[in-house]
Amino acid sequence: MNKIILIGNLTRDPESGSTNSGVNFTRFTIAVNRPFTNADGERVADYFDIIAWRQLADRCAKYLFKGSKVGIVGSVQRRQFEDRDGIKRTSFDVVADEVEFLTPKSNNEQPRGNQPNNVPPDMTPVDNDDLPF
């Protein structure tokens, strides 16, 4: 069984893209605090690279930002590649099956790319009192 559950905060804004065949993905890294402090009394964190695919990737790209708290359920995937110097490297990614947005929604927080109140840029908000019905 390959299952991982994590709760942490994004270390930077997510990065999105698509494969050559047009499948959307979003990558981000989360910091997960360990439940103890080190010898100096400082909190220690582990960092996990997360990748989300398709519609989940679209939602992550739209609503997540640096500092967002998320819950991740997924699997660990080993990836081998050659770096710029020709050295073979191995990395481990968490492929997200589920992403729970845990940062409370505030009035200042809007999906990326939209104006306040989620009004698309080419539309003007209308007050309900101005409607003829």
Side-chain angles (χ1 to χ4, degrees):
M1 181 182 303
N2 181 353
K3 186 69 85 175
I4 188 167
I5 300 170
L6 302 166
I7 295 176
N9 295 81
L10 271 72
T11 60
R12 63 181 183 271
D13 288 339
E15 298 174 1
S16 298
S18 62
T19 64
N20 292 337
S21 58
V23 178
N24 293 340
F25 65 87
T26 298
R27 289 185 171 278
F28 53 93
T29 301
I30 64 171
V32 178
N33 287 326
R34 292 187 180 177
F36 54 85
T37 57
N38 64 15
D40 297 327
E42 299 170 340
R43 274 280 202 219
V44 178
D46 294 303
Y47 298 87
F48 295 88
D49 294 325
I50 312 293
I51 185 163
W53 293 94
R54 297 174 180 78
Q55 292 84 3
L56 181 57
D58 296 339
R59 285 193 304 275
C60 289
K62 186 174 181 179
Y63 293 105
L64 294 180
F65 50 90
K66 180 180 178 178
S68 295
K69 183 177 274 299
V70 293
I72 305 288
V73 176
S75 58
V76 178
Q77 186 176 67
R78 180 175 170 225
R79 186 168 46 104
Q80 292 184 308
F81 61 96
E82 210 170 278
D83 70 9
R84 292 179 184 157
D85 300 325
I87 299 171
K88 290 186 178 186
R89 303 281 183 182
T90 301
S91 72
F92 292 89
D93 296 325
V94 174
V95 179
D97 296 325
E98 301 173 44
V99 176
E100 185 76 25
F101 304 142
L102 300 175
T103 298
K105 194 171 184 180
S106 69
N107 292 338
N108 298 333
E109 208 176 285
Q110 300 296 330
R112 290 203 232 174
N114 285 350
Q115 295 177 343
N117 299 324
N118 298 330
V119 177
D122 59 336
M123 299 184 83
T124 306
V126 175
D127 188 359
N128 284 342
D129 294 337
D130 294 336
L131 296 174
F133 50 88

